[in-house]
Amino acid sequence: MLSKGDDFPLHQTPEPVAYASSDRNFYDRYFFNGYAPDGETFFALAFGVYPVLDVVDAHFCVIRGGTQYCLHASRKLGMERFDLSCGGITIEILEPLNRLRLKVESEGQAAGISADITFTGRAFPIEEPRFTWKRGPRTIMDYTRMTQNGRYEGWIEVDGARVDLAPGTMGTRDRSWGIRPIGQPDPQQPQVLPQFFWQWTPISLPGRSVFFHLNAHPDGSPWNTRAVIVPDGAEAEGQHHTSDAVLESTLKPGTRWPAISTLRIGDETFTLEPLSRFQMRGLGYTSPKWGHGLDHGDLEIEREDIDLSSVAPARPDNLHVQMLCRVTPASGASGESGLGVFEQLAIGHYAPLGLSGLADPAQ
Protein backbone atom coordinates (compact mmCIF):
# COMPACT_ATOMS: atom_id res chain seq x y z
CA MET A 1 0.00 0.00 0.00
CA LEU A 2 1.33 3.42 -0.99
CA SER A 3 0.91 6.37 1.38
CA LYS A 4 1.92 10.05 1.60
CA GLY A 5 5.28 9.09 3.05
CA ASP A 6 6.28 7.35 -0.15
CA ASP A 7 6.72 10.72 -1.90
CA PHE A 8 9.55 11.61 0.51
CA PRO A 9 13.10 10.18 0.39
CA LEU A 10 12.92 8.47 3.77
CA HIS A 11 12.63 4.76 2.95
CA GLN A 12 14.70 2.37 5.07
CA THR A 13 13.71 -0.88 3.36
CA PRO A 14 12.55 -1.95 -0.14
CA GLU A 15 8.95 -1.85 1.18
CA PRO A 16 6.56 1.11 1.00
CA VAL A 17 6.70 3.30 4.14
CA ALA A 18 3.45 1.76 5.45
CA TYR A 19 5.36 -1.46 6.23
CA ALA A 20 7.66 -0.67 9.12
CA SER A 21 8.76 -4.04 10.44
CA SER A 22 7.71 -7.63 10.88
CA ASP A 23 7.71 -7.17 14.69
CA ARG A 24 4.19 -6.50 16.04
CA ASN A 25 5.73 -4.26 18.75
CA PHE A 26 7.22 -1.73 16.33
CA TYR A 27 6.18 1.83 17.29
CA ASP A 28 6.86 5.49 16.48
CA ARG A 29 6.17 8.01 19.26
CA TYR A 30 6.07 11.74 20.12
CA PHE A 31 6.13 13.04 23.70
CA PHE A 32 5.93 16.62 25.05
CA ASN A 33 5.73 18.21 28.49
CA GLY A 34 5.76 21.84 29.59
CA TYR A 35 5.65 23.93 32.74
CA ALA A 36 5.27 27.60 33.62
CA PRO A 37 8.21 29.36 35.37
CA ASP A 38 6.20 29.56 38.61
CA GLY A 39 5.42 25.83 38.44
CA GLU A 40 1.66 26.39 38.51
CA THR A 41 0.92 25.05 35.01
CA PHE A 42 1.97 21.60 33.80
CA PHE A 43 0.84 19.94 30.57
CA ALA A 44 1.86 16.95 28.46
CA LEU A 45 1.00 15.29 25.16
CA ALA A 46 1.79 11.85 23.74
CA PHE A 47 1.15 10.51 20.25
CA GLY A 48 1.92 6.95 19.16
CA VAL A 49 1.84 5.17 15.82
CA TYR A 50 1.85 1.34 15.69
CA PRO A 51 2.18 0.36 12.01
CA VAL A 52 1.94 -3.42 12.36
CA LEU A 53 -1.10 -3.21 14.66
CA ASP A 54 -2.61 -0.53 12.35
CA VAL A 55 -3.45 1.64 15.37
CA VAL A 56 -2.68 5.25 16.37
CA ASP A 57 -3.42 6.81 19.75
CA ALA A 58 -2.98 10.22 21.35
CA HIS A 59 -3.36 11.82 24.77
CA PHE A 60 -3.27 15.35 26.19
CA CYS A 61 -3.26 16.39 29.86
CA VAL A 62 -3.11 19.61 31.86
CA ILE A 63 -3.03 20.10 35.64
CA ARG A 64 -5.13 22.83 37.23
CA GLY A 65 -6.18 23.19 40.85
CA GLY A 66 -5.15 19.71 41.93
CA THR A 67 -6.91 17.98 39.02
CA GLN A 68 -5.23 16.38 36.01
CA TYR A 69 -7.56 16.82 33.03
CA CYS A 70 -6.93 14.17 30.37
CA LEU A 71 -8.09 13.57 26.82
CA HIS A 72 -7.61 10.08 25.34
CA ALA A 73 -8.11 9.11 21.70
CA SER A 74 -7.50 6.04 19.54
CA ARG A 75 -8.30 5.16 15.93
CA LYS A 76 -7.38 2.85 13.10
CA LEU A 77 -4.18 3.97 11.41
CA GLY A 78 -5.32 2.85 7.97
CA MET A 79 -1.61 2.34 7.11
CA GLU A 80 -1.19 6.13 6.67
CA ARG A 81 1.68 7.13 8.93
CA PHE A 82 1.82 10.76 7.79
CA ASP A 83 -1.59 11.63 9.27
CA LEU A 84 -0.55 13.02 12.67
CA SER A 85 -4.09 13.55 13.98
CA CYS A 86 -6.21 11.44 16.27
CA GLY A 87 -9.54 12.34 17.89
CA GLY A 88 -8.93 16.09 17.94
CA ILE A 89 -5.22 15.91 18.85
CA THR A 90 -2.88 17.00 16.03
CA ILE A 91 0.87 17.50 15.64
CA GLU A 92 2.23 19.78 12.91
CA ILE A 93 5.95 19.68 12.09
CA LEU A 94 6.72 23.33 11.27
CA GLU A 95 10.52 22.95 11.14
CA PRO A 96 11.98 19.47 11.61
CA LEU A 97 14.14 19.11 14.74
CA ASN A 98 13.18 22.60 15.93
CA ARG A 99 9.54 23.79 15.82
CA LEU A 100 6.32 21.79 16.21
CA ARG A 101 2.71 22.82 16.79
CA LEU A 102 0.28 20.94 19.04
CA LYS A 103 -3.45 21.42 18.54
CA VAL A 104 -6.19 19.96 20.74
CA GLU A 105 -9.97 20.17 20.28
CA SER A 106 -12.14 17.69 22.16
CA GLU A 107 -15.73 17.00 21.14
CA GLY A 108 -18.89 15.20 22.28
CA GLN A 109 -18.75 13.55 25.68
CA ALA A 110 -15.03 14.35 25.86
CA ALA A 111 -15.57 18.08 25.24
CA GLY A 112 -14.02 20.82 27.34
CA ILE A 113 -10.28 20.52 26.63
CA SER A 114 -8.56 22.49 23.87
CA ALA A 115 -5.14 23.96 23.19
CA ASP A 116 -2.91 25.55 20.57
CA ILE A 117 0.76 25.36 21.55
CA THR A 118 4.03 25.80 19.66
CA PHE A 119 7.31 24.23 20.78
CA THR A 120 10.67 25.75 19.75
CA GLY A 121 13.88 23.91 20.57
CA ARG A 122 16.63 25.57 22.59
CA ALA A 123 19.38 23.56 20.90
CA PHE A 124 19.85 20.62 18.55
CA PRO A 125 18.26 17.41 19.94
CA ILE A 126 20.43 14.87 21.71
CA GLU A 127 20.61 11.27 20.50
CA GLU A 128 20.60 8.89 23.45
CA PRO A 129 22.37 5.50 23.44
CA ARG A 130 20.32 2.84 21.69
CA PHE A 131 17.98 1.13 24.15
CA THR A 132 18.33 -2.65 23.79
CA TRP A 133 16.99 -4.98 26.46
CA LYS A 134 16.71 -8.75 26.08
CA ARG A 135 15.13 -11.36 28.33
CA GLY A 136 16.61 -14.71 27.39
CA PRO A 137 16.15 -15.15 23.63
CA ARG A 138 13.48 -12.43 23.39
CA THR A 139 14.08 -8.80 22.50
CA ILE A 140 11.89 -6.75 24.84
CA MET A 141 13.13 -3.32 23.77
CA ASP A 142 15.22 -2.09 20.88
CA TYR A 143 14.72 1.58 20.06
CA THR A 144 16.32 4.97 19.45
CA ARG A 145 15.29 8.17 21.21
CA MET A 146 16.10 11.82 20.64
CA THR A 147 15.36 14.43 23.31
CA GLN A 148 15.20 18.22 23.20
CA ASN A 149 14.38 20.99 25.67
CA GLY A 150 12.49 24.00 24.39
CA ARG A 151 10.20 26.96 24.93
CA TYR A 152 6.43 26.99 24.53
CA GLU A 153 3.92 29.64 23.52
CA GLY A 154 0.17 29.43 23.04
CA TRP A 155 -2.87 28.71 25.21
CA ILE A 156 -4.80 25.92 26.95
CA GLU A 157 -8.53 25.93 27.71
CA VAL A 158 -10.40 23.69 30.17
CA ASP A 159 -14.20 23.95 30.47
CA GLY A 160 -14.25 27.46 29.04
CA ALA A 161 -11.37 28.85 31.11
CA ARG A 162 -8.59 29.77 28.69
CA VAL A 163 -5.10 30.51 30.02
CA ASP A 164 -2.24 31.85 27.89
CA LEU A 165 1.09 30.17 28.53
CA ALA A 166 3.27 32.48 30.59
CA PRO A 167 6.45 33.88 29.04
CA GLY A 168 9.29 31.57 29.95
CA THR A 169 7.23 28.37 29.80
CA MET A 170 9.77 25.60 29.25
CA GLY A 171 9.70 21.85 28.80
CA THR A 172 10.93 18.82 26.94
CA ARG A 173 9.98 16.77 23.94
CA ASP A 174 11.24 13.41 22.77
CA ARG A 175 10.87 11.19 19.73
CA SER A 176 11.45 7.47 19.92
CA TRP A 177 10.99 4.63 17.48
CA GLY A 178 11.70 0.93 17.37
CA ILE A 179 10.44 -1.99 19.45
CA ARG A 180 8.98 -2.08 22.94
CA PRO A 181 5.93 -3.86 24.43
CA ILE A 182 2.66 -2.39 23.11
CA GLY A 183 -0.93 -3.53 22.77
CA GLN A 184 -2.05 -6.78 24.34
CA PRO A 185 0.66 -8.76 26.22
CA ASP A 186 2.28 -11.68 24.44
CA PRO A 187 0.68 -14.88 25.85
CA GLN A 188 3.90 -16.81 25.15
CA GLN A 189 6.03 -14.61 27.39
CA PRO A 190 7.34 -16.46 30.48
CA GLN A 191 5.16 -15.81 33.54
CA VAL A 192 7.65 -14.06 35.80
CA LEU A 193 7.33 -11.10 38.14
CA PRO A 194 7.75 -7.98 35.96
CA GLN A 195 10.76 -5.80 36.65
CA PHE A 196 11.56 -2.45 35.10
CA PHE A 197 13.41 0.51 36.57
CA TRP A 198 13.59 3.87 34.82
CA GLN A 199 14.64 7.38 35.87
CA TRP A 200 14.83 10.47 33.66
CA THR A 201 15.63 14.06 34.64
CA PRO A 202 15.39 16.61 31.79
CA ILE A 203 16.25 19.98 33.41
CA SER A 204 15.74 23.53 32.10
CA LEU A 205 18.32 26.02 33.36
CA PRO A 206 18.47 29.67 32.16
CA GLY A 207 21.29 29.12 29.65
CA ARG A 208 21.52 25.38 29.15
CA SER A 209 19.76 22.04 29.45
CA VAL A 210 20.78 19.06 31.56
CA PHE A 211 19.68 15.48 30.85
CA PHE A 212 20.18 12.25 32.78
CA HIS A 213 18.54 8.85 32.42
CA LEU A 214 18.97 5.40 33.90
CA ASN A 215 17.58 1.98 33.04
CA ALA A 216 18.75 -0.55 35.63
CA HIS A 217 18.58 -4.23 36.56
CA PRO A 218 17.11 -5.31 39.94
CA ASP A 219 20.54 -5.09 41.61
CA GLY A 220 20.97 -1.49 40.41
CA SER A 221 23.49 -2.16 37.65
CA PRO A 222 22.63 -0.01 34.61
CA TRP A 223 21.80 -1.41 31.20
CA ASN A 224 21.38 2.06 29.66
CA THR A 225 22.44 5.40 31.12
CA ARG A 226 23.79 8.76 29.97
CA ALA A 227 24.12 12.38 31.10
CA VAL A 228 24.26 15.29 28.66
CA ILE A 229 24.73 19.04 29.11
CA VAL A 230 23.64 21.22 26.18
CA PRO A 231 24.17 25.02 26.06
CA ASP A 232 21.40 27.00 24.38
CA GLY A 233 21.96 27.21 20.64
CA ALA A 234 24.40 24.30 20.55
CA GLU A 235 24.57 21.98 17.59
CA ALA A 236 25.30 18.27 17.98
CA GLU A 237 29.06 18.84 18.30
CA GLY A 238 28.47 21.34 21.15
CA GLN A 239 26.83 18.76 23.43
CA HIS A 240 28.71 17.30 26.40
CA HIS A 241 27.90 13.59 26.80
CA THR A 242 29.27 11.72 29.81
CA SER A 243 28.82 8.55 31.83
CA ASP A 244 30.25 10.31 34.90
CA ALA A 245 26.89 10.92 36.55
CA VAL A 246 25.04 9.61 39.60
CA LEU A 247 21.47 10.25 40.73
CA GLU A 248 21.15 9.70 44.49
CA SER A 249 17.39 9.35 44.76
CA THR A 250 15.00 8.94 47.65
CA LEU A 251 11.33 7.97 47.77
CA LYS A 252 8.32 9.54 49.43
CA PRO A 253 7.45 7.20 52.34
CA GLY A 254 4.65 4.80 51.52
CA THR A 255 5.09 5.24 47.77
CA ARG A 256 7.41 4.53 44.86
CA TRP A 257 7.40 8.21 43.89
CA PRO A 258 10.59 10.34 43.93
CA ALA A 259 11.32 12.67 46.84
CA ILE A 260 14.21 15.15 47.24
CA SER A 261 17.18 13.78 45.30
CA THR A 262 20.67 14.79 44.19
CA LEU A 263 22.13 14.61 40.68
CA ARG A 264 25.89 14.75 40.23
CA ILE A 265 27.37 15.24 36.76
CA GLY A 266 31.14 15.58 36.76
CA ASP A 267 32.03 18.43 39.11
CA GLU A 268 28.47 19.79 39.31
CA THR A 269 25.79 18.73 41.77
CA PHE A 270 22.10 19.66 41.68
CA THR A 271 19.30 19.18 44.19
CA LEU A 272 15.87 18.19 42.80
CA GLU A 273 12.96 19.14 45.06
CA PRO A 274 9.50 17.96 43.89
CA LEU A 275 6.81 20.63 43.60
CA SER A 276 3.94 18.70 42.01
CA ARG A 277 3.10 15.27 40.57
CA PHE A 278 1.87 14.21 37.13
CA GLN A 279 0.39 10.75 36.62
CA MET A 280 1.70 9.21 33.40
CA ARG A 281 -1.37 6.98 33.02
CA GLY A 282 -3.07 10.15 31.81
CA LEU A 283 -0.93 9.72 28.69
CA GLY A 284 -1.66 6.00 28.41
CA TYR A 285 1.50 4.74 30.14
CA THR A 286 0.54 1.63 32.21
CA SER A 287 -3.16 2.53 31.82
CA PRO A 288 -5.40 -0.59 31.88
CA LYS A 289 -7.84 0.92 29.36
CA TRP A 290 -5.73 3.39 27.39
CA GLY A 291 -2.43 1.52 27.24
CA HIS A 292 -0.41 2.23 24.12
CA GLY A 293 -1.38 0.32 20.99
CA LEU A 294 -4.62 -1.18 22.31
CA ASP A 295 -7.29 -1.53 19.62
CA HIS A 296 -10.36 0.65 20.30
CA GLY A 297 -11.88 0.25 16.85
CA ASP A 298 -12.35 2.90 14.18
CA LEU A 299 -12.36 5.79 16.68
CA GLU A 300 -12.84 6.18 20.43
CA ILE A 301 -12.42 9.37 22.49
CA GLU A 302 -12.72 9.77 26.24
CA ARG A 303 -12.11 12.42 28.85
CA GLU A 304 -10.72 11.52 32.27
CA ASP A 305 -10.37 13.87 35.26
CA ILE A 306 -7.88 12.62 37.88
CA ASP A 307 -8.10 14.00 41.43
CA LEU A 308 -4.40 13.95 42.27
CA SER A 309 -5.04 14.01 46.02
CA SER A 310 -6.94 10.71 45.92
CA VAL A 311 -4.53 8.66 43.76
CA ALA A 312 -3.60 5.31 45.34
CA PRO A 313 0.22 5.25 45.16
CA ALA A 314 0.62 1.45 45.33
CA ARG A 315 -1.75 0.71 42.47
CA PRO A 316 0.42 -0.52 39.57
CA ASP A 317 -0.97 1.97 37.03
CA ASN A 318 -0.06 4.85 39.38
CA LEU A 319 3.62 3.94 39.78
CA HIS A 320 4.74 5.87 36.69
CA VAL A 321 5.02 9.58 37.51
CA GLN A 322 6.71 12.79 36.52
CA MET A 323 7.54 15.10 39.41
CA LEU A 324 7.97 18.77 38.52
CA CYS A 325 11.03 19.82 40.51
CA ARG A 326 12.82 22.95 41.60
CA VAL A 327 16.46 22.42 40.62
CA THR A 328 19.20 24.24 42.54
CA PRO A 329 22.99 23.91 42.78
CA ALA A 330 24.10 21.93 45.81
CA SER A 331 24.82 23.87 48.97
CA GLY A 332 27.89 26.04 48.59
CA ALA A 333 28.15 25.54 44.83
CA SER A 334 27.78 28.24 42.20
CA GLY A 335 25.61 27.72 39.16
CA GLU A 336 22.20 28.14 37.60
CA SER A 337 18.85 27.28 39.18
CA GLY A 338 15.79 26.25 37.23
CA LEU A 339 13.01 23.73 36.86
CA GLY A 340 12.99 20.18 35.63
CA VAL A 341 11.14 16.90 35.66
CA PHE A 342 12.04 13.75 37.55
CA GLU A 343 10.29 10.84 35.82
CA GLN A 344 10.36 7.45 37.47
CA LEU A 345 8.84 4.03 36.86
CA ALA A 346 9.83 1.34 39.34
CA ILE A 347 8.08 -1.99 38.78
CA GLY A 348 9.17 -5.08 40.71
CA HIS A 349 12.37 -5.55 42.72
CA TYR A 350 15.00 -2.80 42.95
CA ALA A 351 17.62 -3.37 45.63
CA PRO A 352 19.20 0.14 45.83
CA LEU A 353 15.85 1.62 46.97
CA GLY A 354 14.80 -1.39 49.01
CA LEU A 355 11.86 -2.22 46.73
CA SER A 356 10.36 -5.69 46.55
CA GLY A 357 7.25 -7.34 45.13
CA LEU A 358 5.42 -5.91 42.13
CA ALA A 359 4.44 -2.55 43.61
CA ASP A 360 5.15 -2.70 47.35
CA PRO A 361 5.86 0.86 48.53
CA ALA A 362 9.04 2.05 50.17
CA GLN A 363 9.15 1.72 53.95
Side-chain angles (χ1 to χ4, degrees), residues 105-159:
E105 188 60 59
S106 59
E107 299 177 350
Q109 294 182 342
I113 302 175
S114 57
D116 192 338
I117 302 166
T118 298
F119 171 94
T120 302
R122 297 176 61 184
F124 194 80
I126 68 169
E127 180 180 343
E128 296 167 344
R130 184 164 170 173
F131 293 77
T132 304
W133 181 34
K134 296 180 181 292
R135 184 183 296 142
R138 294 175 180 266
T139 298
I140 308 300
M141 291 184 171
D142 184 9
Y143 67 90
T144 294
R145 190 173 83 152
M146 69 178 189
T147 302
Q148 182 179 38
N149 275 4
R151 299 178 175 86
Y152 288 98
E153 57 184 358
W155 55 265
I156 300 173
E157 183 175 303
V158 177
D159 296 333

Side-chain angles (χ1 to χ4, degrees), residues 92-107:
E92 296 179 5
I93 302 170
L94 305 178
E95 182 184 341
L97 304 183
N98 187 33
R99 294 182 68 238
L100 297 93
R101 185 182 183 188
L102 317 177
K103 298 171 67 177
V104 179
E105 188 60 59
S106 59
E107 299 177 350

Side-chain angles (χ1 to χ4, degrees), residues 97 119 121-131 144-150 172-177 198 200-203 208-213 224-231 234-242 265:
L97 304 183
F119 171 94
R122 297 176 61 184
F124 194 80
I126 68 169
E127 180 180 343
E128 296 167 344
R130 184 164 170 173
F131 293 77
T144 294
R145 190 173 83 152
M146 69 178 189
T147 302
Q148 182 179 38
N149 275 4
T172 304
R173 79 169 185 114
D174 71 51
R175 280 276 293 112
S176 64
W177 58 93
W198 163 252
W200 181 43
T201 61
I203 295 169
R208 55 186 176 150
S209 298
V210 177
F211 304 94
F212 171 82
H213 76 262
N224 194 303
T225 187
R226 179 68 61 89
V228 190
I229 297 177
V230 184
E235 298 295 331
E237 61 272 14
Q239 302 171 359
H240 174 56
H241 291 243
T242 180
I265 300 178

Side-chain angles (χ1 to χ4, degrees), residues 225-356:
T225 187
R226 179 68 61 89
V228 190
I229 297 177
V230 184
D232 281 4
E235 298 295 331
E237 61 272 14
Q239 302 171 359
H240 174 56
H241 291 243
T242 180
S243 57
D244 182 16
V246 176
L247 178 60
E248 296 179 353
S249 57
T250 63
L251 300 178
K252 181 180 178 180
T255 79
R256 291 190 174 206
W257 300 335
I260 294 178
S261 301
T262 300
L263 174 63
R264 179 187 61 78
I265 300 178
D267 296 331
E268 295 192 83
T269 302
F270 301 94
T271 298
L272 285 72
E273 178 185 1
L275 302 174
S276 61
R277 184 184 77 254
F278 177 84
Q279 296 296 147
M280 291 292 281
R281 69 176 169 92
L283 297 178
Y285 293 86
T286 70
S287 170
K289 180 176 181 180
W290 288 101
H292 299 154
L294 294 176
D295 190 349
H296 291 262
D298 289 340
L299 176 65
E300 185 172 354
I301 306 171
E302 183 176 80
R303 173 171 164 171
E304 178 185 16
D305 296 353
I306 302 173
D307 177 2
L308 293 171
S309 66
S310 64
V311 168
R315 206 173 76 185
D317 59 325
N318 289 328
L319 298 179
H320 196 178
V321 296
Q322 288 195 346
M323 313 295 285
L324 178 61
C325 295
R326 179 181 293 110
V327 181
T328 55
S331 178
S334 61
E336 301 168 294
S337 299
L339 291 173
V341 163
F342 187 161
E343 178 179 324
Q344 182 168 287
L345 174 58
I347 299 174
H349 300 309
Y350 191 67
L353 292 177
L355 298 175
S356 60

Side-chain angles (χ1 to χ4, degrees), residues 44-62:
L45 183 148
F47 193 105
V49 176
Y50 317 101
V52 183
L53 301 181
D54 204 30
V55 169
V56 58
D57 53 34
H59 313 264
F60 178 79
C61 302
V62 60

Side-chain angles (χ1 to χ4, degrees), residues 196-207:
F196 187 76
F197 187 81
W198 163 252
Q199 293 178 323
W200 181 43
T201 61
I203 295 169
S204 298
L205 301 177

